[in-house]
Amino acid sequence: MARLQLGVLISGRGSNLQALIAACADPAYPAEIVLVVANKPDAKGLHNARDAGLATTIVEHGGFLDRESFDHAVNTELQNAGVELVCLAGFMRLLSSWFVEHWRDRIINIHPSLLPAFKGIDAHEQAITAGVKLSGCSVHIVRPEMDAGPILVQAAVPVRPDDDTDSLAARILAVEHQCYPLAVKLIAEGRVQVDGDTAIVKMPADVGAHIISPPKS
Ligand code: GRF
């Protein structure tokens, strides 16, 4: 069966990109990365991509007059590479409505909170300040509003009383690396149906009943 062709957009570290690279290394995985786009030439994730022998390109946003011209340039790169699904993986730039609509239901993002809670760049800080006992990550289909759109996969982790943003971020990142490849797999296998603002994801019946944090001692 043809593998779903992925374009991954990054700005920095690229650990979620690395998780996707690892998943795609399995010939049975139903997707493959055909292009990695960075908007910063020093994005560390570019090294991982090159080490894996992937095609990479840098589209520096500073070189464009406005947001849409940059987005058009990125779009051209994605189209030329035959991308079918755009994966934002730590891409620290808002995309224009034009771009998001152009890729409607074919562009996904990962965010380090249980959306719709704690949107924005300081999600970990917001979770700690709010005193929630569970936080986590969400993979969602992108809509023009920031960190909004049909949710595909979520994972929860406990927030501990001694957590700071770094310790919470590390705990969440570990589950991000499981959720992103899973979300891509679900899409590639045709198990996602988008219905307006929500996504219906076919899943096995034996999902766990609940998670309690703090756990009962
Ligand atoms: C992740 O925490 C992701 O949820 C957020 O940005 C971070 C990117 O990390 N959108 P990395 O570049 O994938 O390591």
Side-chain angles (χ1 to χ4, degrees):
M1 207 178 101
R3 303 173 89 190
L4 185 67
Q5 308 285 283
L6 310 179
V8 185
L9 271 54
I10 62 167
S11 297
R13 181 177 55 187
S15 69
N16 279 290
L17 165 65
Q18 187 56 41
L20 289 171
I21 291 172
C24 292
D26 177 355
Y29 188 73
E32 67 180 329
I33 300 169
V34 292
L35 184 66
V36 175
V37 182
N39 66 325
K40 293 182 178 171
D42 57 352
K44 278 176 68 185
L46 283 170
H47 296 292
N48 305 0
R50 291 183 188 126
D51 287 351
L54 297 177
T56 63
T57 187
I58 298 161
V59 185
E60 280 193 77
H61 55 260
F64 294 88
L65 283 178
D66 52 40
R67 194 173 294 278
E68 275 210 12
S69 332
F70 168 80
D71 289 1
H72 275 277
V74 172
N75 180 58
T76 301
E77 297 284 350
L78 296 168
Q79 306 275 25
N80 289 346
V83 167
E84 296 170 309
L85 179 71
V86 178
C87 302
L88 308 182
F91 188 67
M92 303 303 286
R93 208 178 148 73
L94 259 187
L95 291 158
S96 60
S97 299
W98 171 79
F99 186 94
V100 173
E101 290 302 335
H102 184 74
W103 288 93
R104 190 175 178 86
D105 297 343
R106 296 179 300 143
I107 174 168
I108 63 176
N109 180 45
I110 185 154
H111 182 74
S113 77
L114 292 172
L115 290 172
F118 313 140
K119 298 176 178 179
I121 51 168
D122 56 351
H124 309 105
E125 179 95 54
Q126 291 182 59
I128 288 172
T129 304
V132 294
K133 302 297 178 268
L134 288 167
S135 190
C137 69
S138 308
V139 184
H140 65 98
I141 292 174
V142 173
R143 292 286 184 254
E145 308 77 45
M146 191 174 56
D147 300 324
I151 292 166
L152 300 168
V153 175
Q154 293 184 305
V157 303
V159 181
R160 304 184 57 84
D162 54 351
D163 267 333
D164 57 19
T165 53
D166 286 347
S167 60
L168 180 58
R171 193 173 308 119
I172 292 175
L173 197 62
V175 287
E176 289 186 38
H177 296 161
Q178 298 178 49
C179 288
Y180 217 170
L182 172 61
V184 169
K185 184 170 183 279
L186 291 168
I187 292 173
E189 290 175 346
R191 289 160 68 188
V192 172
Q193 188 194 325
V194 181
D195 181 12
D197 291 336
T198 61
I200 300 157
V201 181
K202 293 198 191 102
M203 60 176 89
D206 62 346
V207 287
H210 57 240
I211 302 167
I212 297 180
S213 174
K216 287 183 231 163
S217 51

